[in-house]
Amino acid sequence: MISQNTVTKLYNDILGFPDHGKVASYIPELANVNPDKFGVFLKPVYSEGFGVGDFEEKFSVQSIAKVFLLALAFRKKGEDLWERLGYEPSGTSFNSIVQLEYEKGIPRNPLINAGSIVMCDILIDILENPKEDFLQFVRKLAIEDDIQYNETIVTSESKTGYTNNAIVNLLKAFGNIHNDIGEVLDFYYHICSIEMTCRQLAGTFQLFANNGIVPHTQERILDISKNKRINAIMQTCGFYDEAGEFAFKVGLPGKSGVGGGIIAILPHQYTVAVWSPKLNSKGNSYKGMRFLEHLTSETVSSIF
Ligand code: GLU
């Protein structure tokens, strides 16, 4: 079992390292965050867990929320989901368009922007009130009601989302978006704008470490096969074109977001959330990556 002392020591070590990252500024509102924030929360399955640093402060989870979107879409659509998108790593950046053109509008995987935008379209067809129903789903996984969309971030991203506009238009041209593109993007931006603390994030991801069951309520959200597949997708596609590097250095399934958060999962053992807003050149938290690399190496707790 990893102790709080070990996590605190690693946190303090990484805190002292020079941080060569830069806060994301292509969504203007994200640039307003204090770049020196750094929080960690580790939650063993079926236990309360512990945090260090800014672990009770909310931040924009951004692409991390794509995993909740995948869980809900996969739960509702089953294997039919794969008629509209793939599950192979893209090897390209989160908002790349090139692949989408030569693969005729079928996104490589659910965790790049194109894949998540298609999942939003799918859920708009299925859910009665997509934004409200999605938020309720996340609150159920978190076992907390204090989780909201941030409308200021939604507005900020909608005003500057030129690349996502290009993606949704290309998808529509290939027939892989059925609804109004404005409605689809609005849903997508809301999902990305969710704010959580490291403690909430580690809690919300517990089901993925626990065969698809939320530990503290015993509710089964995903069957074992779907849960296994979502972990596999996080492992191979969770870090944009740095998924190989994350597997190589950290060795856990996980997902990052441009808000500087990273969640990682050691199946049957624990979930760990890290937040530090400065990003490396691939869009992943610079300190977060280093912290997790040290954590899994020093405690010998990766899946490999
Ligand atoms: N909302 C962000 C975008 O669409 C998400 C990017 C990310 O966190 O990777 O650009």
Side-chain angles (χ1 to χ4, degrees):
M1 186 62 72
I2 299 175
S3 73
Q4 183 157 5
N5 282 348
T6 307
V7 172
T8 305
K9 183 188 169 303
L10 285 170
Y11 175 94
N12 286 327
D13 289 350
I14 301 296
L15 194 62
F17 282 7
D19 189 335
H20 299 296
K22 283 200 177 73
V23 173
S25 57
Y26 76 100
I27 301 172
E29 195 58 30
L30 287 184
N32 292 336
V33 72
N34 176 345
D36 298 323
K37 293 286 174 187
F38 184 27
V40 174
F41 197 90
L42 189 140
K43 186 167 167 63
V45 177
Y46 287 108
S47 124
E48 288 308 311
F50 45 82
V52 193
D54 302 309
F55 68 92
E56 283 291 20
E57 199 158 320
K58 290 198 176 196
F59 61 95
S60 188
V61 304
Q62 290 295 320
S63 276
I64 297 175
K66 290 172 177 171
V67 182
F68 308 137
L69 191 62
L70 172 59
L72 187 56
F74 201 11
R75 179 175 141 118
K76 298 268 181 203
K77 287 291 277 187
E79 297 302 315
D80 291 351
L81 186 64
W82 311 122
E83 287 168 13
R84 305 261 312 262
L85 61 154
Y87 42 76
E88 292 291 343
S90 67
T92 58
S93 65
F94 62 98
N95 57 1
S96 171
I97 302 177
V98 274
Q99 219 163 34
L100 199 57
E101 185 180 9
Y102 64 74
E103 296 186 355
K104 303 198 169 15
I106 302 294
R108 264 291 170 100
N109 68 63
L111 301 184
I112 51 172
N113 288 13
S116 290
I117 290 171
V118 167
M119 291 193 296
C120 285
D121 186 59
I122 290 171
L123 285 177
I124 287 174
D125 279 338
I126 298 174
L127 303 175
E128 217 163 296
N129 297 303
K131 286 190 261 187
E132 186 51 34
D133 295 354
F134 180 79
L135 202 53
Q136 291 306 341
F137 177 67
V138 177
R139 288 173 177 165
K140 182 161 72 170
L141 304 187
I143 328 176
E144 278 196 42
D145 284 338
D146 176 29
I147 293 174
Q148 314 284 351
Y149 297 125
N150 180 326
E151 296 293 341
T152 311
I153 301 253
V154 173
T155 307
S156 181
E157 187 163 14
S158 334
K159 279 190 183 151
T160 52
Y162 307 110
T163 314
N164 287 323
N165 265 294
I167 290 173
V168 78
N169 275 286
L170 195 57
L171 287 165
K172 183 91 179 169
F174 277 112
N176 204 5
I177 291 289
H178 301 164
N179 295 285
D180 173 72
I181 55 173
E183 187 184 358
V184 175
L185 272 191
D186 180 61
F187 185 27
Y188 171 74
Y189 289 145
H190 274 83
I191 282 162
C192 294
S193 80
I194 281 183
E195 294 184 316
M196 283 191 197
T197 66
C198 287
R199 184 183 54 73
Q200 288 175 324
L201 207 49
T204 314
F205 271 78
Q206 287 267 294
L207 82 147
F208 300 109
N210 191 42
N211 291 327
I213 297 172
V214 178
H216 296 281
T217 59
Q218 280 302 301
E219 186 177 355
R220 176 170 289 288
I221 303 291
L222 297 164
D223 63 38
I224 289 178
S225 159
K226 287 192 182 66
N227 190 62
K228 182 180 89 176
R229 288 172 182 201
I230 292 178
N231 275 305
I233 290 171
M234 280 194 265
Q235 178 76 68
T236 54
C237 313
F239 294 83
Y240 321 124
D241 44 343
E242 212 172 28
E245 176 103 356
F246 193 78
F248 190 73
K249 292 192 166 161
V250 178
L252 295 177
K255 182 74 197 92
S256 60
V258 294
I262 301 182
I263 180 80
I265 295 139
L266 182 58
H268 317 300
Q269 303 278 334
Y270 66 77
T271 54
V272 57
V274 191
W275 172 50
S276 168
K278 289 193 202 167
L279 310 178
N280 67 18
S281 61
K282 303 285 174 120
N284 295 312
S285 169
Y286 185 88
K287 268 194 181 137
M289 294 277 280
R290 291 199 81 151
F291 174 83
L292 291 170
E293 179 184 357
H294 284 249
L295 177 76
T296 55
S297 304
E298 291 192 23
T299 60
V300 198
S301 62
S302 91
I303 62 168
F304 300 112

PDB file of all heavy atoms in Angstrom, residues 26 41 47 66 94 104 166 214 246 271:
ATOM      1  N   TYR A  26      -4.732  28.834 -25.682  1.00  0.00           N
ATOM      2  CA  TYR A  26      -5.588  28.898 -26.875  1.00  0.00           C
ATOM      3  C   TYR A  26      -7.069  28.985 -26.487  1.00  0.00           C
ATOM      4  O   TYR A  26      -7.905  29.383 -27.276  1.00  0.00           O
ATOM      5  CB  TYR A  26      -5.301  27.709 -27.818  1.00  0.00           C
ATOM      6  CG  TYR A  26      -5.891  26.390 -27.370  1.00  0.00           C
ATOM      7  CD1 TYR A  26      -7.068  25.905 -27.919  1.00  0.00           C
ATOM      8  CD2 TYR A  26      -5.264  25.630 -26.377  1.00  0.00           C
ATOM      9  CE1 TYR A  26      -7.611  24.698 -27.496  1.00  0.00           C
ATOM     10  CE2 TYR A  26      -5.798  24.437 -25.961  1.00  0.00           C
ATOM     11  CZ  TYR A  26      -6.978  23.972 -26.514  1.00  0.00           C
ATOM     12  OH  TYR A  26      -7.508  22.784 -26.083  1.00  0.00           O
ATOM     13  N   PHE A  41      -3.957  13.765  -5.435  1.00  0.00           N
ATOM     14  CA  PHE A  41      -4.807  12.972  -4.543  1.00  0.00           C
ATOM     15  C   PHE A  41      -4.733  11.511  -4.968  1.00  0.00           C
ATOM     16  O   PHE A  41      -4.931  11.182  -6.138  1.00  0.00           O
ATOM     17  CB  PHE A  41      -6.265  13.454  -4.580  1.00  0.00           C
ATOM     18  CG  PHE A  41      -7.063  12.952  -3.406  1.00  0.00           C
ATOM     19  CD1 PHE A  41      -7.133  13.673  -2.227  1.00  0.00           C
ATOM     20  CD2 PHE A  41      -7.717  11.718  -3.466  1.00  0.00           C
ATOM     21  CE1 PHE A  41      -7.843  13.199  -1.131  1.00  0.00           C
ATOM     22  CE2 PHE A  41      -8.427  11.234  -2.378  1.00  0.00           C
ATOM     23  CZ  PHE A  41      -8.496  11.977  -1.207  1.00  0.00           C
ATOM     24  N   SER A  47     -11.181   2.943  -0.170  1.00  0.00           N
ATOM     25  CA  SER A  47     -10.681   3.659   1.007  1.00  0.00           C
ATOM     26  C   SER A  47     -10.753   5.162   0.753  1.00  0.00           C
ATOM     27  O   SER A  47     -10.971   5.592  -0.392  1.00  0.00           O
ATOM     28  CB  SER A  47      -9.290   3.119   1.344  1.00  0.00           C
ATOM     29  OG  SER A  47      -8.356   4.120   1.375  1.00  0.00           O
ATOM     30  N   LYS A  66     -13.679  13.422 -21.331  1.00  0.00           N
ATOM     31  CA  LYS A  66     -14.005  12.569 -22.490  1.00  0.00           C
ATOM     32  C   LYS A  66     -14.165  11.111 -22.065  1.00  0.00           C
ATOM     33  O   LYS A  66     -14.846  10.333 -22.723  1.00  0.00           O
ATOM     34  CB  LYS A  66     -12.899  12.683 -23.548  1.00  0.00           C
ATOM     35  CG  LYS A  66     -12.864  14.050 -24.236  1.00  0.00           C
ATOM     36  CD  LYS A  66     -11.635  14.156 -25.127  1.00  0.00           C
ATOM     37  CE  LYS A  66     -11.594  15.466 -25.882  1.00  0.00           C
ATOM     38  NZ  LYS A  66     -10.321  15.672 -26.590  1.00  0.00           N
ATOM     39  N   PHE A  94      -4.372  16.257 -30.132  1.00  0.00           N
ATOM     40  CA  PHE A  94      -5.788  16.071 -29.752  1.00  0.00           C
ATOM     41  C   PHE A  94      -6.767  16.669 -30.754  1.00  0.00           C
ATOM     42  O   PHE A  94      -7.875  16.187 -30.917  1.00  0.00           O
ATOM     43  CB  PHE A  94      -6.042  16.648 -28.348  1.00  0.00           C
ATOM     44  CG  PHE A  94      -5.805  18.131 -28.231  1.00  0.00           C
ATOM     45  CD1 PHE A  94      -6.858  19.022 -28.306  1.00  0.00           C
ATOM     46  CD2 PHE A  94      -4.535  18.628 -28.036  1.00  0.00           C
ATOM     47  CE1 PHE A  94      -6.656  20.385 -28.194  1.00  0.00           C
ATOM     48  CE2 PHE A  94      -4.314  19.996 -27.924  1.00  0.00           C
ATOM     49  CZ  PHE A  94      -5.372  20.873 -28.007  1.00  0.00           C
ATOM     50  N   LYS A 104     -11.893   9.310 -43.898  1.00  0.00           N
ATOM     51  CA  LYS A 104     -13.276   9.565 -44.329  1.00  0.00           C
ATOM     52  C   LYS A 104     -14.267   9.821 -43.189  1.00  0.00           C
ATOM     53  O   LYS A 104     -15.373   9.259 -43.148  1.00  0.00           O
ATOM     54  CB  LYS A 104     -13.762   8.405 -45.210  1.00  0.00           C
ATOM     55  CG  LYS A 104     -12.875   8.171 -46.431  1.00  0.00           C
ATOM     56  CD  LYS A 104     -13.544   7.358 -47.485  1.00  0.00           C
ATOM     57  CE  LYS A 104     -12.848   7.306 -48.814  1.00  0.00           C
ATOM     58  NZ  LYS A 104     -11.457   7.751 -48.909  1.00  0.00           N
ATOM     59  N   ALA A 166     -13.777  23.414 -37.474  1.00  0.00           N
ATOM     60  CA  ALA A 166     -13.338  22.733 -38.700  1.00  0.00           C
ATOM     61  C   ALA A 166     -13.604  21.230 -38.581  1.00  0.00           C
ATOM     62  O   ALA A 166     -14.097  20.588 -39.520  1.00  0.00           O
ATOM     63  CB  ALA A 166     -11.853  23.001 -38.935  1.00  0.00           C
ATOM     64  N   VAL A 214     -18.985   1.289  -8.989  1.00  0.00           N
ATOM     65  CA  VAL A 214     -18.619   2.406  -8.101  1.00  0.00           C
ATOM     66  C   VAL A 214     -18.441   1.823  -6.695  1.00  0.00           C
ATOM     67  O   VAL A 214     -19.399   1.298  -6.119  1.00  0.00           O
ATOM     68  CB  VAL A 214     -19.719   3.497  -8.095  1.00  0.00           C
ATOM     69  CG1 VAL A 214     -19.359   4.626  -7.130  1.00  0.00           C
ATOM     70  CG2 VAL A 214     -19.933   4.046  -9.506  1.00  0.00           C
ATOM     71  N   PHE A 246       3.817   8.021 -22.113  1.00  0.00           N
ATOM     72  CA  PHE A 246       3.194   7.840 -20.797  1.00  0.00           C
ATOM     73  C   PHE A 246       3.235   6.359 -20.394  1.00  0.00           C
ATOM     74  O   PHE A 246       3.522   6.026 -19.242  1.00  0.00           O
ATOM     75  CB  PHE A 246       1.742   8.353 -20.822  1.00  0.00           C
ATOM     76  CG  PHE A 246       1.144   8.499 -19.446  1.00  0.00           C
ATOM     77  CD1 PHE A 246       1.460   9.580 -18.636  1.00  0.00           C
ATOM     78  CD2 PHE A 246       0.271   7.541 -18.948  1.00  0.00           C
ATOM     79  CE1 PHE A 246       0.914   9.713 -17.348  1.00  0.00           C
ATOM     80  CE2 PHE A 246      -0.279   7.662 -17.667  1.00  0.00           C
ATOM     81  CZ  PHE A 246       0.045   8.748 -16.879  1.00  0.00           C
ATOM     82  N   THR A 271      -6.666   4.962  -7.736  1.00  0.00           N
ATOM     83  CA  THR A 271      -6.684   6.007  -8.765  1.00  0.00           C
ATOM     84  C   THR A 271      -5.857   7.164  -8.199  1.00  0.00           C
ATOM     85  O   THR A 271      -5.817   7.356  -6.983  1.00  0.00           O
ATOM     86  CB  THR A 271      -8.118   6.504  -9.039  1.00  0.00           C
ATOM     87  OG1 THR A 271      -8.719   6.903  -7.801  1.00  0.00           O
ATOM     88  CG2 THR A 271      -8.976   5.434  -9.678  1.00  0.00           C
TER      89      THR A 271
END
